[in-house]
Amino acid sequence: MDPLILGAIVAVTTILVLFSGVSVALGLLIVSAGFLIIFDGARSLELIPEILFGKLDNFALLSIPMFIIMGASIASTRAGADLYEALERWLTRVPGGLVISNLGACALFAAMSGSSPATCAAIGKMGIPEMRKRGYPDGVAAGSIAAGGTLGILIPPSVTMIVYGIATETSIGRLFLAGVIPGLLLVALFMAWSLYSTAKSGNTTLLTARSYSWTERFEILPRVIPFIVIIIGVLYAMYGGIATPSETAAVGALLCLLIAVIIYKLWKPVDLWMVLRDSTKESVMILFIIAAAGVFSYMLSSLFITQSIAAWIGTLDVNPWVLMLAVNIFLLIAGFFLPPVAVILMAAPILLPIITTAGFDPIWFAVILTINMEIGLISPPVGLNLYVINGIAPDISLKTILMGSLPFVACMVIAIVLLCFFPGLATWLPDAVMGPRL
Amino acid sequence: MAGQSSATAARTGNNLFLRAVAALSTLAGWCSAAMIVAAVGITCQMIFIRFVLNGSTFWQTEAVIYLAIGATLIGLPYVQRLRGHVNVDLVPLALPKSARFFMAIMTLSLSITMVGVILWYSYEHWHLAYERNWKSDTVWGVRLWIPYLALPVGFGLFLLQLVADLVAVLLKIDQPFGLEDT
Amino acid sequence: ADLRLSHQWSDQDVRHQVAQIVADRVAAADVDLTIRIFGSQSLFKAREQYRPLSRGQLDMTVLPLSYAGGQQPAFNLTLMPGLVKNHDHAARLSASPFMKTLEEKMAEDDVMVLVHGYLAGGFVGADKCITSPEDIAGLQTRAAGKSFEQMLAGAGASIASMSSSEIYNAMQTGVLDAANTSSSSFVSYRIYEQASCYTPAGDVALWFMYQPLLMNKSTFDGLSSDQQNALMTAAAEAEAFYLEEAKKQDASSTEVFRNAGVEIAEMTPEDFEKWRQLAQETSYAAFVAEVPDGQALLDMALAVE
Ligand code: NA
Ligand code: NA
């Protein structure tokens, strides 16, 4: 059979199987096993345990649980509230101080956590009730946190960047740096929209924040300094020659756990177990998808589908930007339904050759892909962050959260367009810090 | 509610089998978390040895990798119990109750078959490494049956938890896909 | 028939070219045999190729045989410091009774050799030249292969284990002071941008790694005699090419490093003897202790002139 037709059959089958409600990882394994039995014979199933084990046999993957622990340990304290409170006391002259502070806190927290739902939960737990208490519209309160939370995978560290780095053999250090400026750009766009919509809601008192004395401003600093120290320390360790990203992650995890225990008095075994339980749950889920996607890509490669698609795309004579648009639409749709890690692992081996043949930069593309995944996190039908917000504030309807998030989706689309016109937004920082590309 | 159902563990009712499996899965979850913590500790130790003492660090990377693999595989049943394996449950949500019930039975049976097959070949893989005394090709030379043991143990417990989930749905102790009636 | 060949390298690499020659010649022979090459670990990861090969799930691979040293400890002799002196010596070793014994061990795993070949490598230092054992003491070093780790540890180096793709970053950030790997890896990972001194494989070299093109034996036996002949003819041509290219790699890597302004150091025969002495006390001793017929195998290898 022609590998391209076979590829289409695999794609349709995968969609059908995943929509049955089976877990993503097992679904990928079931599809792979089915096609391997048909085309390579039942004996090829004996390779599955080795491939699963082999995909996980990678030191860089270790940083995933570590960066998740960093976020989870801090998220279980009231550190998130401290962060935005401190920002608010210092940003008091900025109009719409509270929502600005919450978004700023999301960005700072994203620099300590590799995952988006954790960022969302950490800031939202205190931030959403506080914003609503002060009269911000529900949609703005919920939407800003849902969107701000997605920064967790764009601002370094980032679990999805690690997975992309491994899947495409791109430097994880560079990928992390590439996310910084686009992350800040998104924060600025989010803030601009929040201010505009708050103003439009007519409640202009919200824009003039309350004032704080210098005593109040300084007394909150000790509660924030540890995080600034962690962020700077981790960055220094990673780019200053102390350790590789994976090793840095372990130091970050240890520091965050210690801060949670010592400063935030998280020493009850039950509380500590909650942190470990949540991190274990998220890490195992992601790592199992990674392993299962390994079997899936073995199947695609063994059936010569990956290679044939790459060759076929090479023969297409289309404008690269049309291609980029098509790729974006594909990623967007995949992101609507699937968790980012699964999309990256299934799409990267097929998309990367397309991207590089068309003359696009894989580091820049990682940022485009990540923003697409961020959109998926706050869009129906499967938007992890929407459900996190729904868990924090059950009395805000899913529809309000969704409508509140939509404008932020527009901000992300604007960011993608800006990145297309100014690729330097993503590539300048990594090149400046780590020297020109290998 | 769609997506990753937030931390509502599978129900066990008063069924002895379900409770026993739940206990096993929880124990596996503790082991998994402990392995992740150990990996954090060993990585920090490695950085200390290398930067402060300028010493050799030939075994740490390998140990940490095996711990992370172990944590993933041994953690599978616990995450299944917490319904932590993400799925797309649009279709089940849209289905009427009876169809949803059969859909759940179908997906669980498929999952059980798949994990059963992996368990079988995992055991074979582990057994071969044990019988032939394969080692990793490093100075440390770990006997590979030790890290490979995580494959049959992890998938074995995973299989048990999946069977328990199927039983719970069949006995109407738990809702199909863990979806509450709305 | 359709055969699948897997390897870990890019399509510019000499080891890919060896595979490509075999595939092309076999196709040209028109004996109803096609070889499909899966490069860059697109099918199996580098270290996961030997087992599928031995079970017939994979038909052919170009593989550093020492990767399978955990399954057949005797294979560790194919990456042993100072055992091979230069490329011509390597070719004589490939045709010796020593290699016949290793091939018997491969046959136990249902594996056979189509193309023999050794590639050489050297050392780089971030701040100074590495020529004799004294130079490496106290340095954070990445070594290619277990027996080299043992020898360098014996010289007082601190061993940091990582893959060759991580050398560049580790040297850039100062995690590593020195590294040892193959000439072609030094070039393909652009290590010359981070090194101050390169000690290439020259008239004498320590680091030789046996990287043959292997095939599943049962699959080979199942082919028609025409197909087998076509394969063997192609393999012979590829082997001659492999030897010539292996020699060129060392010289061209030296050229790349020199052009990048890196100091080029040379290992003297006296240095070589010091390393070999050290290897005998460390890696050779460990090998003999680990492998039941280790001493006999080692003697066979050392007997090759
Ligand atoms: Na982050
Ligand atoms: Na979505």
Short mmCIF file of all heavy atoms in Angstrom, two decimals, chain A residues 195-239:
data_model
loop_
_atom_site.label_atom_id
_atom_site.label_comp_id
_atom_site.label_asym_id
_atom_site.label_seq_id
_atom_site.Cartn_x
_atom_site.Cartn_y
_atom_site.Cartn_z
N LEU A 195 -6.78 45.52 30.89
CA LEU A 195 -7.06 46.92 31.22
C LEU A 195 -8.20 47.45 30.37
O LEU A 195 -9.12 48.10 30.87
CB LEU A 195 -5.81 47.77 30.97
CG LEU A 195 -4.72 47.63 32.02
CD1 LEU A 195 -3.60 48.60 31.73
CD2 LEU A 195 -5.31 47.89 33.39
N TYR A 196 -8.11 47.16 29.07
CA TYR A 196 -9.13 47.66 28.15
C TYR A 196 -10.51 47.14 28.55
O TYR A 196 -11.47 47.90 28.65
CB TYR A 196 -8.78 47.24 26.72
CG TYR A 196 -9.90 47.50 25.74
CD1 TYR A 196 -10.17 48.80 25.32
CD2 TYR A 196 -10.69 46.46 25.26
CE1 TYR A 196 -11.21 49.04 24.42
CE2 TYR A 196 -11.72 46.69 24.37
CZ TYR A 196 -11.98 47.99 23.96
OH TYR A 196 -13.00 48.22 23.09
N SER A 197 -10.60 45.84 28.83
CA SER A 197 -11.93 45.28 29.10
C SER A 197 -12.43 45.71 30.47
O SER A 197 -13.63 45.86 30.66
CB SER A 197 -11.90 43.75 28.99
OG SER A 197 -11.05 43.22 29.97
N THR A 198 -11.51 45.93 31.42
CA THR A 198 -11.95 46.43 32.71
C THR A 198 -12.51 47.85 32.54
O THR A 198 -13.56 48.18 33.09
CB THR A 198 -10.78 46.46 33.72
OG1 THR A 198 -10.17 45.18 33.72
CG2 THR A 198 -11.27 46.78 35.11
N ALA A 199 -11.79 48.67 31.77
CA ALA A 199 -12.25 50.02 31.52
C ALA A 199 -13.62 50.00 30.84
O ALA A 199 -14.52 50.76 31.19
CB ALA A 199 -11.24 50.77 30.66
N LYS A 200 -13.74 49.09 29.88
CA LYS A 200 -14.97 49.01 29.11
C LYS A 200 -16.15 48.58 29.99
O LYS A 200 -17.29 48.95 29.73
CB LYS A 200 -14.79 48.00 27.96
CG LYS A 200 -15.62 48.34 26.73
CD LYS A 200 -15.43 47.28 25.66
CE LYS A 200 -15.87 45.92 26.14
NZ LYS A 200 -15.76 44.85 25.14
N SER A 201 -15.85 47.80 31.05
CA SER A 201 -16.93 47.33 31.93
C SER A 201 -17.54 48.49 32.71
O SER A 201 -18.55 48.33 33.37
CB SER A 201 -16.40 46.26 32.89
OG SER A 201 -15.63 46.88 33.90
N GLY A 202 -16.89 49.67 32.68
CA GLY A 202 -17.46 50.85 33.28
C GLY A 202 -17.06 51.07 34.73
O GLY A 202 -17.22 52.15 35.28
N ASN A 203 -16.50 50.06 35.37
CA ASN A 203 -16.14 50.17 36.78
C ASN A 203 -14.75 50.80 36.89
O ASN A 203 -13.76 50.14 37.17
CB ASN A 203 -16.17 48.76 37.40
CG ASN A 203 -16.18 48.85 38.90
OD1 ASN A 203 -15.89 49.89 39.47
ND2 ASN A 203 -16.53 47.74 39.53
N THR A 204 -14.66 52.13 36.68
CA THR A 204 -13.35 52.76 36.56
C THR A 204 -12.63 52.87 37.89
O THR A 204 -11.42 53.10 37.92
CB THR A 204 -13.49 54.17 35.96
OG1 THR A 204 -14.57 54.82 36.60
CG2 THR A 204 -13.71 54.14 34.46
N THR A 205 -13.33 52.68 39.00
CA THR A 205 -12.64 52.73 40.28
C THR A 205 -11.58 51.64 40.37
O THR A 205 -10.60 51.75 41.08
CB THR A 205 -13.62 52.55 41.45
OG1 THR A 205 -14.39 51.38 41.19
CG2 THR A 205 -14.54 53.75 41.60
N LEU A 206 -11.82 50.56 39.62
CA LEU A 206 -10.88 49.43 39.64
C LEU A 206 -9.52 49.84 39.10
O LEU A 206 -8.49 49.27 39.44
CB LEU A 206 -11.41 48.30 38.77
CG LEU A 206 -12.60 47.56 39.33
CD1 LEU A 206 -13.13 46.60 38.30
CD2 LEU A 206 -12.22 46.85 40.60
N LEU A 207 -9.54 50.85 38.22
CA LEU A 207 -8.30 51.22 37.55
C LEU A 207 -7.43 52.07 38.47
O LEU A 207 -6.23 52.15 38.28
CB LEU A 207 -8.61 51.97 36.25
CG LEU A 207 -9.40 51.13 35.26
CD1 LEU A 207 -9.75 51.93 34.02
CD2 LEU A 207 -8.61 49.89 34.86
N THR A 208 -8.06 52.72 39.46
CA THR A 208 -7.25 53.46 40.41
C THR A 208 -7.07 52.59 41.63
O THR A 208 -7.96 52.45 42.47
CB THR A 208 -7.95 54.76 40.81
OG1 THR A 208 -9.29 54.44 41.17
CG2 THR A 208 -7.96 55.75 39.66
N ALA A 209 -5.94 52.00 41.76
CA ALA A 209 -5.72 51.04 42.83
C ALA A 209 -5.59 51.77 44.16
O ALA A 209 -5.35 52.96 44.21
CB ALA A 209 -4.45 50.26 42.54
N ARG A 210 -5.75 51.01 45.24
CA ARG A 210 -5.57 51.62 46.56
C ARG A 210 -4.10 51.92 46.77
O ARG A 210 -3.22 51.36 46.10
CB ARG A 210 -6.10 50.69 47.64
CG ARG A 210 -5.58 49.27 47.56
CD ARG A 210 -6.08 48.42 48.67
NE ARG A 210 -5.39 48.76 49.91
CZ ARG A 210 -5.23 47.90 50.91
NH1 ARG A 210 -5.74 46.69 50.83
NH2 ARG A 210 -4.60 48.25 52.02
N SER A 211 -3.82 52.80 47.71
CA SER A 211 -2.41 53.18 47.91
C SER A 211 -1.82 52.42 49.10
O SER A 211 -2.54 52.00 50.02
CB SER A 211 -2.31 54.69 48.12
OG SER A 211 -3.07 55.03 49.27
N TYR A 212 -0.53 52.26 49.05
CA TYR A 212 0.17 51.53 50.11
C TYR A 212 1.29 52.39 50.66
O TYR A 212 1.94 53.14 49.91
CB TYR A 212 0.77 50.24 49.55
CG TYR A 212 -0.28 49.22 49.17
CD1 TYR A 212 -0.74 49.14 47.86
CD2 TYR A 212 -0.82 48.36 50.13
CE1 TYR A 212 -1.71 48.22 47.51
CE2 TYR A 212 -1.79 47.42 49.77
CZ TYR A 212 -2.23 47.36 48.47
OH TYR A 212 -3.18 46.45 48.12
N SER A 213 1.53 52.25 51.96
CA SER A 213 2.65 52.99 52.56
C SER A 213 3.95 52.24 52.25
O SER A 213 3.94 51.07 51.87
CB SER A 213 2.47 53.06 54.08
OG SER A 213 2.68 51.77 54.63
N TRP A 214 5.08 52.94 52.39
CA TRP A 214 6.36 52.30 52.11
C TRP A 214 6.61 51.15 53.07
O TRP A 214 7.22 50.15 52.68
CB TRP A 214 7.49 53.31 52.18
CG TRP A 214 7.49 54.19 50.96
CD1 TRP A 214 7.06 55.48 50.87
CD2 TRP A 214 7.91 53.81 49.65
NE1 TRP A 214 7.19 55.93 49.58
CE2 TRP A 214 7.71 54.92 48.80
CE3 TRP A 214 8.43 52.64 49.09
CZ2 TRP A 214 8.01 54.91 47.45
CZ3 TRP A 214 8.74 52.63 47.75
CH2 TRP A 214 8.53 53.75 46.93
N THR A 215 6.10 51.26 54.32
CA THR A 215 6.25 50.15 55.27
C THR A 215 5.58 48.92 54.71
O THR A 215 6.14 47.83 54.70
CB THR A 215 5.58 50.50 56.62
OG1 THR A 215 5.66 51.91 56.81
CG2 THR A 215 6.21 49.73 57.75
N GLU A 216 4.35 49.11 54.21
CA GLU A 216 3.62 47.97 53.67
C GLU A 216 4.36 47.38 52.48
O GLU A 216 4.37 46.17 52.28
CB GLU A 216 2.21 48.42 53.23
CG GLU A 216 1.24 48.59 54.37
CD GLU A 216 -0.09 49.16 53.91
OE1 GLU A 216 -0.10 50.21 53.22
OE2 GLU A 216 -1.12 48.54 54.23
N ARG A 217 4.98 48.26 51.71
CA ARG A 217 5.68 47.76 50.53
C ARG A 217 6.90 46.94 50.93
O ARG A 217 7.17 45.90 50.34
CB ARG A 217 6.14 48.94 49.67
CG ARG A 217 4.99 49.58 48.94
CD ARG A 217 5.48 50.68 48.07
NE ARG A 217 4.36 51.36 47.46
CZ ARG A 217 4.49 52.41 46.67
NH1 ARG A 217 5.69 52.89 46.40
NH2 ARG A 217 3.45 52.98 46.15
N PHE A 218 7.62 47.42 51.94
CA PHE A 218 8.86 46.72 52.26
C PHE A 218 8.61 45.47 53.10
O PHE A 218 9.36 44.50 53.01
CB PHE A 218 9.83 47.66 52.97
CG PHE A 218 10.57 48.52 51.99
CD1 PHE A 218 10.26 49.86 51.83
CD2 PHE A 218 11.57 47.97 51.20
CE1 PHE A 218 10.92 50.64 50.90
CE2 PHE A 218 12.23 48.74 50.26
CZ PHE A 218 11.92 50.07 50.11
N GLU A 219 7.54 45.49 53.90
CA GLU A 219 7.37 44.34 54.79
C GLU A 219 7.01 43.06 54.00
O GLU A 219 7.20 41.96 54.48
CB GLU A 219 6.32 44.62 55.87
CG GLU A 219 4.88 44.55 55.36
CD GLU A 219 3.88 44.99 56.41
OE1 GLU A 219 4.29 45.39 57.51
OE2 GLU A 219 2.67 44.93 56.11
N ILE A 220 6.52 43.22 52.77
CA ILE A 220 6.15 42.02 52.01
C ILE A 220 7.34 41.46 51.24
O ILE A 220 7.35 40.30 50.84
CB ILE A 220 4.96 42.30 51.06
CG1 ILE A 220 4.32 40.96 50.67
CG2 ILE A 220 5.39 43.09 49.85
CD1 ILE A 220 2.97 41.09 50.05
N LEU A 221 8.37 42.26 51.08
CA LEU A 221 9.51 41.81 50.26
C LEU A 221 10.14 40.49 50.73
O LEU A 221 10.43 39.63 49.91
CB LEU A 221 10.58 42.91 50.18
CG LEU A 221 10.28 44.00 49.15
CD1 LEU A 221 11.47 44.92 49.02
CD2 LEU A 221 9.95 43.39 47.80
N PRO A 222 10.38 40.33 52.05
CA PRO A 222 11.02 39.08 52.48
C PRO A 222 10.27 37.84 52.00
O PRO A 222 10.86 36.77 51.85
CB PRO A 222 10.99 39.16 54.01
CG PRO A 222 10.88 40.61 54.31
CD PRO A 222 10.13 41.24 53.18
N ARG A 223 8.97 37.99 51.76
CA ARG A 223 8.21 36.81 51.34
C ARG A 223 8.37 36.52 49.85
O ARG A 223 7.95 35.49 49.37
CB ARG A 223 6.73 37.01 51.68
CG ARG A 223 6.48 36.86 53.19
CD ARG A 223 5.03 36.70 53.47
NE ARG A 223 4.38 38.01 53.65
CZ ARG A 223 3.07 38.18 53.65
NH1 ARG A 223 2.28 37.16 53.46
NH2 ARG A 223 2.56 39.38 53.84
N VAL A 224 8.92 37.47 49.13
CA VAL A 224 9.06 37.29 47.68
C VAL A 224 10.50 36.97 47.29
O VAL A 224 10.75 36.24 46.34
CB VAL A 224 8.59 38.57 46.95
CG1 VAL A 224 8.74 38.41 45.46
CG2 VAL A 224 7.15 38.86 47.30
N ILE A 225 11.42 37.52 48.09
CA ILE A 225 12.84 37.36 47.75
C ILE A 225 13.24 35.90 47.47
O ILE A 225 13.94 35.64 46.49
CB ILE A 225 13.73 38.00 48.84
CG1 ILE A 225 13.61 39.53 48.69
CG2 ILE A 225 15.18 37.57 48.72
CD1 ILE A 225 14.23 40.30 49.82
N PRO A 226 12.78 34.92 48.28
CA PRO A 226 13.21 33.54 48.00
C PRO A 226 12.94 33.10 46.55
O PRO A 226 13.77 32.41 45.95
CB PRO A 226 12.37 32.69 48.96
CG PRO A 226 11.98 33.62 50.05
CD PRO A 226 11.94 34.99 49.48
N PHE A 227 11.81 33.58 46.01
CA PHE A 227 11.47 33.12 44.65
C PHE A 227 12.36 33.77 43.61
O PHE A 227 12.78 33.15 42.65
CB PHE A 227 10.00 33.39 44.36
CG PHE A 227 9.16 32.78 45.41
CD1 PHE A 227 8.51 33.55 46.33
CD2 PHE A 227 9.10 31.41 45.51
CE1 PHE A 227 7.79 32.97 47.34
CE2 PHE A 227 8.38 30.83 46.52
CZ PHE A 227 7.72 31.61 47.44
N ILE A 228 12.61 35.05 43.86
CA ILE A 228 13.50 35.76 42.95
C ILE A 228 14.86 35.06 42.99
O ILE A 228 15.50 34.82 41.96
CB ILE A 228 13.63 37.24 43.36
CG1 ILE A 228 12.26 37.88 43.50
CG2 ILE A 228 14.49 38.00 42.37
CD1 ILE A 228 11.43 37.91 42.25
N VAL A 229 15.29 34.68 44.20
CA VAL A 229 16.58 34.00 44.36
C VAL A 229 16.56 32.67 43.60
O VAL A 229 17.51 32.34 42.88
CB VAL A 229 16.91 33.78 45.85
CG1 VAL A 229 18.12 32.88 46.00
CG2 VAL A 229 17.14 35.12 46.53
N ILE A 230 15.46 31.92 43.73
CA ILE A 230 15.38 30.63 43.04
C ILE A 230 15.46 30.84 41.53
O ILE A 230 16.23 30.17 40.83
CB ILE A 230 14.05 29.90 43.37
CG1 ILE A 230 14.11 29.41 44.80
CG2 ILE A 230 13.83 28.73 42.41
CD1 ILE A 230 12.88 28.66 45.21
N ILE A 231 14.67 31.80 41.04
CA ILE A 231 14.63 32.00 39.59
C ILE A 231 16.02 32.37 39.07
O ILE A 231 16.54 31.78 38.12
CB ILE A 231 13.60 33.09 39.22
CG1 ILE A 231 12.19 32.58 39.55
CG2 ILE A 231 13.69 33.44 37.74
CD1 ILE A 231 11.11 33.62 39.42
N ILE A 232 16.65 33.35 39.76
CA ILE A 232 17.98 33.78 39.31
C ILE A 232 18.98 32.64 39.48
O ILE A 232 19.80 32.38 38.60
CB ILE A 232 18.42 35.03 40.08
CG1 ILE A 232 17.50 36.20 39.71
CG2 ILE A 232 19.88 35.38 39.78
CD1 ILE A 232 17.74 37.46 40.48
N GLY A 233 18.87 31.93 40.61
CA GLY A 233 19.80 30.83 40.87
C GLY A 233 19.71 29.75 39.81
O GLY A 233 20.73 29.28 39.29
N VAL A 234 18.47 29.39 39.45
CA VAL A 234 18.28 28.34 38.45
C VAL A 234 18.83 28.80 37.10
O VAL A 234 19.53 28.06 36.40
CB VAL A 234 16.79 27.96 38.35
CG1 VAL A 234 16.51 27.16 37.09
CG2 VAL A 234 16.38 27.15 39.58
N LEU A 235 18.53 30.07 36.75
CA LEU A 235 19.03 30.59 35.48
C LEU A 235 20.55 30.60 35.47
O LEU A 235 21.19 30.20 34.49
CB LEU A 235 18.51 32.01 35.24
CG LEU A 235 17.04 32.09 34.83
CD1 LEU A 235 16.62 33.54 34.68
CD2 LEU A 235 16.83 31.34 33.52
N TYR A 236 21.14 31.03 36.59
CA TYR A 236 22.59 31.10 36.66
C TYR A 236 23.20 29.70 36.54
O TYR A 236 24.15 29.47 35.79
CB TYR A 236 23.04 31.75 37.96
CG TYR A 236 24.54 31.76 38.10
CD1 TYR A 236 25.31 32.63 37.33
CD2 TYR A 236 25.20 30.87 38.95
CE1 TYR A 236 26.68 32.62 37.41
CE2 TYR A 236 26.57 30.85 39.03
CZ TYR A 236 27.32 31.73 38.27
OH TYR A 236 28.68 31.70 38.33
N ALA A 237 22.59 28.74 37.24
CA ALA A 237 23.12 27.38 37.20
C ALA A 237 23.06 26.83 35.77
O ALA A 237 23.98 26.16 35.30
CB ALA A 237 22.33 26.47 38.14
N MET A 238 21.97 27.19 35.07
CA MET A 238 21.76 26.61 33.75
C MET A 238 22.67 27.23 32.70
O MET A 238 23.20 26.55 31.83
CB MET A 238 20.30 26.79 33.35
CG MET A 238 19.82 25.69 32.44
SD MET A 238 18.07 25.75 32.07
CE MET A 238 17.29 26.39 33.48
N TYR A 239 22.87 28.56 32.79
CA TYR A 239 23.64 29.22 31.74
C TYR A 239 25.02 29.63 32.21
O TYR A 239 25.83 30.10 31.43
CB TYR A 239 22.85 30.42 31.20
CG TYR A 239 21.55 29.97 30.58
CD1 TYR A 239 20.35 30.11 31.24
CD2 TYR A 239 21.55 29.33 29.35
CE1 TYR A 239 19.17 29.65 30.69
CE2 TYR A 239 20.38 28.87 28.78
CZ TYR A 239 19.19 29.03 29.46
OH TYR A 239 18.03 28.56 28.91
#
